[in-house]
Amino acid sequence: MPVNESPEILLYPRIRKSPFFYASRRHGVAKYSVYNRTYHPRHYGDPVAEYWHLLNGVTLWDVGVERQVEITGPDAFAFTDMLVPRDLNKCAVGQCKYVFVTAPDGGIVNDPVLLRLGENHFWLSLADSDVLLWAQGLAHGSGMDVTVREPDVGPVQVQGPLSREVMKDLFGPSVLDIGYYRCAEYGLDGMDVVVSRTGYTSEIGFEIYLRNASRDGVRLWETVLEAGRPHGIEVIGPCHIRRIEGGILAWGSDIGLDTNPFEVGYGYEVSWMVDLDQEADFIGKAALTRIRDEGVRRKLVGVEIGGSRLGSYNDGSMIDAFPVYAPGGDAPIGKVTSACHSPRLDRNIGFAMVPIGSAEIGTELRVGRPGGTVPATVVEKPFVDPRKTLPKQDLRAPVG
């Protein structure tokens, strides 16, 4: 039976609550979804206002749904190197990497952020699919001396241009020395955390990974919130407008088991994501080598979509209903996978999976959307800051 904790929200006990659940819901969650079988606050009433606060200030996110898979043991490096197509010999201790976990046919099982905490100590900070069972099954059959488990770890994100000020107040000036996609360990009022320079925004941002999260989750949340008050911190949900502007993909919408890295722009164009020349025989290597050599039949592209302003579509639930047509055709040739209205660009933007013959920049298409079928155009992505100069900047440099 559902546990009715408020007149508006039904909470089912078989769905997990993040370590920050009771703290984050005090701020007036307007919409939950379920991500990694865990309640996930999607927004707090006005996604566009949340977007502007992210761009101009500092925001705090409950991302305890990013469940961790921890890999340790004498063979942890070799095992993790087998899971992902990136060459982990190029990943130092204290470094993070955006990676794909690939299936034997080259499909994308997950796209986590990998944190290397030691020579043989890794965390995979997961998107929305069950890598724990996948990795445990592979470990069982591999013969390697490795332990795969879910640790008691939960992250929050502190994102936006003023995040540097909040983090400096929390951890001291040394936190500004953490490079883009790097991490470091800290103590905070008796709590044990890992701080990484990562996030789901393409803005300046950090993630704070809390150990003993089931015990200290609410205390960490309140500590970050208190440090953020002088800087105008706001609690928001994941900003899908900004992640689309930044070209960030969402597992289950833009990528999944039925897509491969070459189709979604992380093979030919970003060859380091799929390193087919490395010595490691990672899962899916043979299939991805064949796909590279034969070429793909479809591609995920950026699109501008005509018509009236779209919403923010925070859970993507309606986007699959957006078919893509050739200008003179009646049968769908593809579909929009993510879309929104960008307030600063004042355009409807998104991603669409289309045949390779319709993937060239400037190709004219049509999209079926609420209100009818409208013109669309294939455009470059990311839509904003394609070189990621914002999140990569030197945080020791003067603001402005």
Side-chain angles (χ1 to χ4, degrees):
M1 293 293 290
V3 179
N4 194 354
E5 296 200 356
S6 81
E8 299 84 16
I9 301 171
L10 296 178
L11 301 175
Y12 293 83
R14 293 187 67 184
I15 301 173
R16 299 186 355 167
K17 300 178 181 70
S18 92
F20 317 104
F21 175 84
Y22 290 105
S24 64
R25 75 186 302 257
R26 295 172 188 163
H27 301 272
V29 178
K31 183 176 186 179
Y32 280 100
S33 68
V34 175
Y35 190 102
N36 277 328
R37 299 194 301 279
T38 306
Y39 289 109
H40 188 20
R42 302 303 278 192
H43 68 84
Y44 288 77
D46 188 344
V48 174
E50 293 180 7
Y51 163 86
W52 285 118
H53 203 87
L54 168 65
L55 263 58
N56 296 313
V58 58
T59 58
L60 174 61
W61 306 16
D62 174 356
V63 291
V65 296
E66 292 176 13
R67 296 166 64 175
Q68 306 302 300
V69 169
E70 182 175 67
I71 303 169
T72 56
D75 295 328
F77 175 84
F79 178 78
T80 309
D81 207 27
M82 180 184 75
L83 286 181
V84 304
R86 291 193 74 160
D87 184 355
L88 294 188
N89 287 293
K90 300 174 182 178
C91 180
V93 174
Q95 195 168 9
C96 311
K97 296 285 187 181
Y98 175 58
V99 299
F100 291 134
V101 176
T102 43
D105 66 353
I108 300 170
V109 177
N110 201 277
D111 66 324
V113 171
L114 176 149
L115 294 80
R116 189 172 187 184
L117 304 178
E119 292 295 330
N120 279 298
H121 188 182
F122 298 87
W123 286 347
L124 301 178
S125 189
L126 299 183
D128 188 17
S129 73
D130 200 339
V131 174
L132 179 64
L133 294 178
W134 170 257
Q136 286 179 332
L138 291 171
H140 176 74
S142 70
M144 295 185 186
D145 188 355
V146 64
T147 299
V148 179
R149 70 183 191 103
E150 181 178 357
D152 184 12
V153 170
V156 296
Q157 291 196 17
V158 183
Q159 300 285 311
L162 296 183
S163 63
R164 74 177 90 195
E165 305 304 323
V166 176
M167 296 297 286
K168 185 170 64 173
D169 289 351
L170 282 167
F171 297 104
S174 69
V175 78
L176 302 184
D177 293 329
I178 299 175
Y180 185 57
Y181 267 73
R182 298 276 175 168
C183 62
E185 304 206 26
Y186 282 89
L188 179 64
D189 294 336
M191 295 177 284
D192 188 9
V193 303
V194 174
V195 175
S196 68
R197 182 104 168 263
T198 54
Y200 198 57
T201 64
S202 294
E203 295 286 327
I204 295 173
F206 298 82
E207 292 184 79
I208 305 172
Y209 292 82
L210 174 66
R211 290 189 171 99
N212 298 308
S214 59
R215 182 191 70 193
D216 292 333
V218 172
R219 186 155 71 96
L220 175 70
W221 183 273
E222 292 173 344
T223 300
V224 176
L225 198 64
E226 186 63 27
R229 283 197 175 99
H231 306 286
I233 198 167
E234 292 285 343
V235 175
I236 71 170
C239 186
H240 285 276
I241 300 172
R242 187 63 187 97
R243 73 96 180 163
I244 293 171
E245 287 182 346
I248 299 172
L249 306 182
W251 197 94
S253 296
D254 312 307
I255 56 177
L257 286 167
D258 61 343
T259 61
N260 65 67
F262 290 95
E263 292 175 328
V264 301
Y266 281 91
Y268 301 114
E269 300 93 333
V270 189
S271 59
W272 38 261
M273 280 290 287
V274 180
D275 188 343
L276 296 172
D277 297 324
Q278 66 176 296
E279 183 178 345
D281 186 20
F282 62 83
I283 294 170
K285 187 175 186 179
L288 289 168
T289 300
R290 175 182 53 77
I291 291 166
R292 178 200 63 186
D293 294 344
E294 293 179 356
V296 295
R297 297 181 180 180
R298 60 180 189 165
K299 186 176 180 181
L300 190 74
V301 297
V303 288
E304 289 184 6
I305 302 170
S308 59
R309 293 181 178 184
L310 291 169
S312 59
Y313 291 97
N314 278 49
D315 65 356
S317 59
M318 292 183 63
I319 298 301
D320 280 342
F322 286 19
V324 175
Y325 304 91
D330 296 325
I333 62 169
K335 69 175 184 176
V336 174
T337 61
S338 290
C340 68
H341 178 262
S342 166
R344 66 169 142 186
L345 299 176
D346 196 21
R347 297 197 295 271
N348 296 321
I349 60 174
F351 311 134
M353 185 67 80
V354 298
I356 195 68
S358 298
E360 288 293 324
I361 303 299
T363 300
E364 298 296 324
L365 302 167
R366 292 183 301 127
V367 168
R369 48 152 291 180
T373 302
V374 298
T377 306
V378 177
V379 297
E380 294 276 5
K381 60 176 176 63
F383 301 90
V384 173
D385 188 25
R387 297 186 181 277
K388 306 288 186 186
T389 55
L390 272 173
K392 292 178 180 178
Q393 64 186 277
D394 179 4
L395 299 189
R396 289 285 195 174
V399 178

